[in-house]
Amino acid sequence: MRRGIIIITTFIGGLFFFLEFVLPEQWFGNPNIFSEWMPTVNNFLMIVGSFAVGIGVINLVAVHGQQITKKGPAWINSAGFFTGLILMLLFGFGQDVFPVFKTGFNFLFQYMVVPLGATIFSLLAFYIVSAAYRAFKIKTTDAMLMTLTAFIVILGQVPFGNLISQSWPHFLQFPCLSAWIMNNLNSAASRGVLFGSAVGALAISLRIWLSLEKGSFFEKGS
Amino acid sequence: MLHAGLAVIILLILLGFFVLKNIARAGKGHKISIRTIPGLSSIDEAIGRATEMGKPVLFCTGLCGVDDIATLNALSVLQYVAKRTAKFGTRLLISVANPTLYPVVEEICRQAYATEGKSEEFNAQDIRFFSDDQFAWASATVGLMHREKVASNFFFGSFAAESLILAESGQQVRAVQIASTPDFGQIPFFICTCDYTLIGEEHYAASAYLSREPMLLGSLVGQDAGKIIILVILLLGVISVTIWGGKGNWLLEFLK
């Protein structure tokens, strides 16, 4: 019964989006009826999705609540979570009633959430160096080719590369070589991967649409 | 709204036809063999390592939700991993970045544990929703890796700039790492930092490869036919542009 409902719902949902995409904008002088329904369907999906946001918060509250009540090893972090949650809720909902809360909300967002995100993002610079150190160890011919290519591309992207090669013939200058590698070798490889991915995505979409995919909801006997 | 042109409709029908035809062929018992994908073959090895070390396994489903096809495919792999960890009694931690995905992941794991007859060992609190903010989720997942000292990491789904943060942190805790994403920009980061990386279409072959269902394997053969069609179109495009040029070329106009 449950399996049947899921299969029918999936098929009808998939059919709607498929027909909306395949049928032209004007159909015998009439607008595409599926396109007209699109905003309503998107609103419906957003409403269903917003229920799940509540589930996410419930999970956070349950996990961190248990940490505090059991005085787990990282209970202080969980206390930090509740402090942040309560403050953001208070200032977020309260800013319509008390204008002063808007300053508090902006302060929390601009001076805490944004810098914290930027800090984590900035770690990437260090991680790139350590990952590159491992990747560019020349142990094989392939590794040597990759390192050489990376060397040319890096020099082509920085002013120093241009400076040392500007007196060389144009086609040997680092920016020119770098552009050739990126536009020809790299693009060819990336498009090859992209085509494979696109066909794979289409095949799996078809399998899910027709409920042929073996997944949690399509287990035998469920 | 985007609508398909005639060429796209024909291509969709052709690709769909070859996929369904090969699924039907496989359903009739036609034997299909596919090449070995080391990354997928090593999933058992990675779980086995965690079991031997008595440490948990971490599975990350990426940034996107249930509306993303790469994430849906990652859920098939998650189901396989959950069944294996349930069978071996290994703790499975799951880090979820999208609240719409959370209930689906929970249901998949619950069913996987039930299938293995280990419902009582399922712990819903090992499935963690941290945040839907990219870097908040990444930092929380990195913290989880270090605190729990995971033995194996699985990164399956759609990732962005946080891919390197996650995978490099996995290297720091000496975890065996298997990554799979169709996002071309993140593949180099995963290749540098992970033991096995699935590239492009291999990501979508995962459920067929792991389940060995003849019908799903049939669809992989159908995909290959689809790639041959695209290759033929590419060659025709190159030949036509070489002969007639780009302007007023009827083939290019038709394919647009």
PDB file of all heavy atoms in Angstrom, chain A residues 37-53:
ATOM      1  N   TRP A  37       0.847  26.457 -13.689  1.00  0.00           N
ATOM      2  CA  TRP A  37       0.735  25.833 -12.365  1.00  0.00           C
ATOM      3  C   TRP A  37       2.062  25.797 -11.606  1.00  0.00           C
ATOM      4  O   TRP A  37       2.088  25.468 -10.422  1.00  0.00           O
ATOM      5  CB  TRP A  37       0.193  24.401 -12.509  1.00  0.00           C
ATOM      6  CG  TRP A  37      -1.298  24.360 -12.535  1.00  0.00           C
ATOM      7  CD1 TRP A  37      -2.107  24.442 -13.621  1.00  0.00           C
ATOM      8  CD2 TRP A  37      -2.170  24.246 -11.401  1.00  0.00           C
ATOM      9  NE1 TRP A  37      -3.431  24.380 -13.246  1.00  0.00           N
ATOM     10  CE2 TRP A  37      -3.486  24.258 -11.890  1.00  0.00           C
ATOM     11  CE3 TRP A  37      -1.954  24.141 -10.023  1.00  0.00           C
ATOM     12  CZ2 TRP A  37      -4.592  24.174 -11.035  1.00  0.00           C
ATOM     13  CZ3 TRP A  37      -3.057  24.047  -9.180  1.00  0.00           C
ATOM     14  CH2 TRP A  37      -4.354  24.070  -9.698  1.00  0.00           C
ATOM     15  N   MET A  38       3.123  26.112 -12.313  1.00  0.00           N
ATOM     16  CA  MET A  38       4.478  25.979 -11.731  1.00  0.00           C
ATOM     17  C   MET A  38       4.652  26.775 -10.434  1.00  0.00           C
ATOM     18  O   MET A  38       5.159  26.222  -9.445  1.00  0.00           O
ATOM     19  CB  MET A  38       5.507  26.409 -12.773  1.00  0.00           C
ATOM     20  CG  MET A  38       6.866  25.835 -12.567  1.00  0.00           C
ATOM     21  SD  MET A  38       6.880  24.058 -12.654  1.00  0.00           S
ATOM     22  CE  MET A  38       8.611  23.789 -12.718  1.00  0.00           C
ATOM     23  N   PRO A  39       4.271  28.085 -10.376  1.00  0.00           N
ATOM     24  CA  PRO A  39       4.450  28.824  -9.112  1.00  0.00           C
ATOM     25  C   PRO A  39       3.701  28.171  -7.949  1.00  0.00           C
ATOM     26  O   PRO A  39       4.230  28.085  -6.824  1.00  0.00           O
ATOM     27  CB  PRO A  39       3.878  30.212  -9.419  1.00  0.00           C
ATOM     28  CG  PRO A  39       3.937  30.340 -10.902  1.00  0.00           C
ATOM     29  CD  PRO A  39       3.721  28.962 -11.434  1.00  0.00           C
ATOM     30  N   THR A  40       2.480  27.657  -8.225  1.00  0.00           N
ATOM     31  CA  THR A  40       1.695  27.011  -7.158  1.00  0.00           C
ATOM     32  C   THR A  40       2.411  25.765  -6.655  1.00  0.00           C
ATOM     33  O   THR A  40       2.510  25.535  -5.442  1.00  0.00           O
ATOM     34  CB  THR A  40       0.296  26.620  -7.697  1.00  0.00           C
ATOM     35  OG1 THR A  40      -0.223  27.731  -8.411  1.00  0.00           O
ATOM     36  CG2 THR A  40      -0.656  26.236  -6.586  1.00  0.00           C
ATOM     37  N   VAL A  41       2.911  24.957  -7.603  1.00  0.00           N
ATOM     38  CA  VAL A  41       3.611  23.720  -7.219  1.00  0.00           C
ATOM     39  C   VAL A  41       4.882  24.064  -6.426  1.00  0.00           C
ATOM     40  O   VAL A  41       5.183  23.426  -5.411  1.00  0.00           O
ATOM     41  CB  VAL A  41       3.954  22.876  -8.478  1.00  0.00           C
ATOM     42  CG1 VAL A  41       4.839  21.687  -8.117  1.00  0.00           C
ATOM     43  CG2 VAL A  41       2.685  22.392  -9.151  1.00  0.00           C
ATOM     44  N   ASN A  42       5.608  25.092  -6.888  1.00  0.00           N
ATOM     45  CA  ASN A  42       6.828  25.499  -6.167  1.00  0.00           C
ATOM     46  C   ASN A  42       6.504  25.981  -4.756  1.00  0.00           C
ATOM     47  O   ASN A  42       7.236  25.671  -3.809  1.00  0.00           O
ATOM     48  CB  ASN A  42       7.561  26.605  -6.935  1.00  0.00           C
ATOM     49  CG  ASN A  42       8.365  26.035  -8.090  1.00  0.00           C
ATOM     50  OD1 ASN A  42       8.746  24.868  -8.068  1.00  0.00           O
ATOM     51  ND2 ASN A  42       8.587  26.834  -9.114  1.00  0.00           N
ATOM     52  N   ASN A  43       5.391  26.726  -4.615  1.00  0.00           N
ATOM     53  CA  ASN A  43       4.983  27.176  -3.272  1.00  0.00           C
ATOM     54  C   ASN A  43       4.664  25.989  -2.384  1.00  0.00           C
ATOM     55  O   ASN A  43       5.030  25.955  -1.209  1.00  0.00           O
ATOM     56  CB  ASN A  43       3.748  28.080  -3.368  1.00  0.00           C
ATOM     57  CG  ASN A  43       4.117  29.454  -3.888  1.00  0.00           C
ATOM     58  OD1 ASN A  43       5.273  29.832  -3.853  1.00  0.00           O
ATOM     59  ND2 ASN A  43       3.138  30.189  -4.393  1.00  0.00           N
ATOM     60  N   PHE A  44       3.981  24.998  -2.963  1.00  0.00           N
ATOM     61  CA  PHE A  44       3.617  23.780  -2.220  1.00  0.00           C
ATOM     62  C   PHE A  44       4.886  23.078  -1.716  1.00  0.00           C
ATOM     63  O   PHE A  44       4.978  22.692  -0.551  1.00  0.00           O
ATOM     64  CB  PHE A  44       2.807  22.850  -3.133  1.00  0.00           C
ATOM     65  CG  PHE A  44       2.593  21.475  -2.570  1.00  0.00           C
ATOM     66  CD1 PHE A  44       1.677  21.252  -1.555  1.00  0.00           C
ATOM     67  CD2 PHE A  44       3.313  20.389  -3.058  1.00  0.00           C
ATOM     68  CE1 PHE A  44       1.479  19.984  -1.032  1.00  0.00           C
ATOM     69  CE2 PHE A  44       3.122  19.120  -2.549  1.00  0.00           C
ATOM     70  CZ  PHE A  44       2.204  18.919  -1.529  1.00  0.00           C
ATOM     71  N   LEU A  45       5.878  22.963  -2.630  1.00  0.00           N
ATOM     72  CA  LEU A  45       7.127  22.288  -2.254  1.00  0.00           C
ATOM     73  C   LEU A  45       7.870  23.064  -1.170  1.00  0.00           C
ATOM     74  O   LEU A  45       8.463  22.478  -0.265  1.00  0.00           O
ATOM     75  CB  LEU A  45       8.032  22.111  -3.485  1.00  0.00           C
ATOM     76  CG  LEU A  45       7.505  21.138  -4.547  1.00  0.00           C
ATOM     77  CD1 LEU A  45       8.418  21.124  -5.760  1.00  0.00           C
ATOM     78  CD2 LEU A  45       7.365  19.725  -3.986  1.00  0.00           C
ATOM     79  N   MET A  46       7.801  24.414  -1.258  1.00  0.00           N
ATOM     80  CA  MET A  46       8.462  25.237  -0.229  1.00  0.00           C
ATOM     81  C   MET A  46       7.799  25.053   1.133  1.00  0.00           C
ATOM     82  O   MET A  46       8.476  24.997   2.163  1.00  0.00           O
ATOM     83  CB  MET A  46       8.412  26.715  -0.630  1.00  0.00           C
ATOM     84  CG  MET A  46       9.607  27.127  -1.470  1.00  0.00           C
ATOM     85  SD  MET A  46       9.422  28.749  -2.180  1.00  0.00           S
ATOM     86  CE  MET A  46       9.312  29.755  -0.748  1.00  0.00           C
ATOM     87  N   ILE A  47       6.460  24.941   1.112  1.00  0.00           N
ATOM     88  CA  ILE A  47       5.737  24.761   2.381  1.00  0.00           C
ATOM     89  C   ILE A  47       6.097  23.411   2.999  1.00  0.00           C
ATOM     90  O   ILE A  47       6.392  23.306   4.192  1.00  0.00           O
ATOM     91  CB  ILE A  47       4.211  24.885   2.161  1.00  0.00           C
ATOM     92  CG1 ILE A  47       3.864  26.336   1.802  1.00  0.00           C
ATOM     93  CG2 ILE A  47       3.433  24.447   3.392  1.00  0.00           C
ATOM     94  CD1 ILE A  47       2.493  26.543   1.219  1.00  0.00           C
ATOM     95  N   VAL A  48       6.116  22.360   2.152  1.00  0.00           N
ATOM     96  CA  VAL A  48       6.485  21.023   2.654  1.00  0.00           C
ATOM     97  C   VAL A  48       7.920  21.058   3.199  1.00  0.00           C
ATOM     98  O   VAL A  48       8.202  20.521   4.271  1.00  0.00           O
ATOM     99  CB  VAL A  48       6.350  19.959   1.526  1.00  0.00           C
ATOM    100  CG1 VAL A  48       6.880  18.613   1.989  1.00  0.00           C
ATOM    101  CG2 VAL A  48       4.892  19.819   1.111  1.00  0.00           C
ATOM    102  N   GLY A  49       8.808  21.747   2.458  1.00  0.00           N
ATOM    103  CA  GLY A  49      10.206  21.858   2.885  1.00  0.00           C
ATOM    104  C   GLY A  49      10.353  22.593   4.198  1.00  0.00           C
ATOM    105  O   GLY A  49      11.208  22.256   5.009  1.00  0.00           O
ATOM    106  N   SER A  50       9.496  23.598   4.415  1.00  0.00           N
ATOM    107  CA  SER A  50       9.620  24.384   5.657  1.00  0.00           C
ATOM    108  C   SER A  50       9.274  23.558   6.890  1.00  0.00           C
ATOM    109  O   SER A  50       9.762  23.838   7.984  1.00  0.00           O
ATOM    110  CB  SER A  50       8.761  25.642   5.590  1.00  0.00           C
ATOM    111  OG  SER A  50       7.408  25.275   5.505  1.00  0.00           O
ATOM    112  N   PHE A  51       8.443  22.510   6.718  1.00  0.00           N
ATOM    113  CA  PHE A  51       8.166  21.609   7.851  1.00  0.00           C
ATOM    114  C   PHE A  51       9.467  20.926   8.285  1.00  0.00           C
ATOM    115  O   PHE A  51       9.717  20.716   9.463  1.00  0.00           O
ATOM    116  CB  PHE A  51       7.154  20.530   7.467  1.00  0.00           C
ATOM    117  CG  PHE A  51       5.734  21.040   7.406  1.00  0.00           C
ATOM    118  CD1 PHE A  51       5.033  21.029   6.220  1.00  0.00           C
ATOM    119  CD2 PHE A  51       5.110  21.521   8.543  1.00  0.00           C
ATOM    120  CE1 PHE A  51       3.731  21.487   6.158  1.00  0.00           C
ATOM    121  CE2 PHE A  51       3.805  21.988   8.493  1.00  0.00           C
ATOM    122  CZ  PHE A  51       3.111  21.973   7.292  1.00  0.00           C
ATOM    123  N   ALA A  52      10.272  20.575   7.272  1.00  0.00           N
ATOM    124  CA  ALA A  52      11.513  19.858   7.557  1.00  0.00           C
ATOM    125  C   ALA A  52      12.505  20.725   8.323  1.00  0.00           C
ATOM    126  O   ALA A  52      13.335  20.198   9.065  1.00  0.00           O
ATOM    127  CB  ALA A  52      12.140  19.364   6.259  1.00  0.00           C
ATOM    128  N   VAL A  53      12.445  22.050   8.136  1.00  0.00           N
ATOM    129  CA  VAL A  53      13.339  22.942   8.881  1.00  0.00           C
ATOM    130  C   VAL A  53      13.093  22.748  10.379  1.00  0.00           C
ATOM    131  O   VAL A  53      14.030  22.673  11.182  1.00  0.00           O
ATOM    132  CB  VAL A  53      13.122  24.420   8.466  1.00  0.00           C
ATOM    133  CG1 VAL A  53      13.973  25.349   9.319  1.00  0.00           C
ATOM    134  CG2 VAL A  53      13.478  24.596   6.991  1.00  0.00           C
TER     135      VAL A  53
END
